[in-house]
Amino acid sequence: MSRVNVRGVIGTLAEKPWETGGFAPKTCHRSAGAVGLWVTLAVISSLFVLFMLSAIMRSQSPDWAPLTEQPWQPLFELRPLWINTCSLLASSAVLQLANEFPSQHRQSAVQLVLLAAALTLALAFMVGQWQVWQGFADAGFGIRSGPSAGFYFLLTGLHALHLLVAIGVCCWLLPSLWGGLNTLRLKLLTRYWHYLFLLWCVLFALISCPPATYKLLAALCGIEVSE
């Protein structure tokens, strides 16, 4: 009986039910592009977190000039930045809508229009950012005018650079719509686009902070607060 049991156990272990349709082996498959995107987002996030912490730390120095307190300061009126935010939000929403269409030739024209609209809205955001930068220069808050303006140009400039990369990928995808768009590439681009919008919301919240909020953030981060 023991030999029979041993043979039965060995026979059970040697079975391959996935070859006979018994059950399919569970696999966890993730494309290299998706993994690469998440790694890239992690690196970008780490970079921006370091710069934002540096800005919060630097804000406690005596030479940190507020940007939002007085009418002559460049961020006293935040309406231009709100308009830019709405443009980027609309661009992200339109790009998400392009993902809802099936990848068929008959739908490629619709996706083309949506992708072009998302690209146009993103370019509108870039133009709006450029106008705000010009407003900084006109108000005497250039890159070298002080640490507060310098960090503003650094954070928003890095964000604009990453958005330019996304815009370049968007332009690269436009011709492929006529032959049937690679849906994975569009999904990855959309994720990156959404990430840039969320990143901009964080940056917007930080750069528009009054001095009291900077002091609170510094205290929460364990940074010595100046009196």
Side-chain angles (χ1 to χ4, degrees):
M1 293 295 293
S2 61
R3 293 182 178 179
V4 175
N5 291 338
V6 171
R7 290 178 180 177
V9 172
I10 295 176
T12 302
L13 294 175
E15 289 180 357
K16 299 179 181 180
W18 56 86
E19 294 183 353
T20 59
F23 64 88
K26 295 182 180 180
T27 59
C28 182
H29 176 71
R30 189 178 293 271
S31 69
V35 174
L37 176 63
W38 287 116
V39 172
T40 301
L41 296 185
V43 173
I44 295 174
S45 299
S46 301
L47 177 66
F48 274 95
V49 167
L50 289 175
F51 281 129
M52 287 188 289
L53 288 175
S54 299
I56 294 173
M57 183 181 301
R58 192 69 172 84
S59 68
Q60 300 310 299
S61 301
D63 59 345
W64 182 272
L67 302 175
T68 60
E69 296 291 287
Q70 302 297 330
W72 51 270
Q73 293 171 342
L75 294 183
F76 180 78
E77 176 58 62
L78 293 175
R79 183 180 301 175
L81 291 183
W82 279 114
I83 294 175
N84 295 347
T85 303
C86 291
S87 297
L88 192 57
L89 172 61
S91 176
S92 185
V94 171
L95 195 59
Q96 178 62 39
L97 184 60
N99 280 273
E100 304 300 325
F101 286 87
S103 56
Q104 300 175 358
H105 292 288
R106 68 180 63 179
Q107 304 293 348
S108 61
V110 178
Q111 287 183 318
L112 178 63
V113 172
L114 292 174
L115 203 57
L119 178 61
T120 302
L121 289 167
L123 290 174
F125 172 84
M126 295 295 296
V127 172
Q129 291 292 81
W130 176 262
Q131 292 175 344
V132 174
W133 293 334
Q134 288 294 111
F136 266 71
D138 295 340
F141 287 81
I143 296 178
R144 299 182 179 180
S145 62
S148 56
F151 270 104
Y152 177 86
F153 280 101
L154 174 64
L155 293 173
T156 58
L158 279 177
H159 178 267
L161 179 62
H162 287 87
L163 184 58
L164 281 175
V165 173
I167 291 174
V169 175
C170 187
C171 294
W172 175 63
L173 283 178
L174 283 174
S176 66
L177 281 167
W178 297 111
L181 181 63
N182 187 313
T183 56
L184 177 60
R185 291 176 180 175
L186 182 59
K187 288 181 179 179
L188 295 179
L189 174 63
T190 303
R191 290 177 188 174
Y192 184 61
W193 215 279
H194 293 341
Y195 169 81
L196 290 178
F197 170 71
L198 294 176
L199 177 60
W200 167 248
C201 290
V202 175
L203 294 178
F204 186 12
L206 179 65
I207 60 182
S208 61
C209 283
T213 303
Y214 274 109
K215 183 176 293 187
L216 176 61
L217 291 174
L220 292 175
C221 293
I223 301 171
E224 184 178 355
V225 178
S226 61
E227 299 296 338

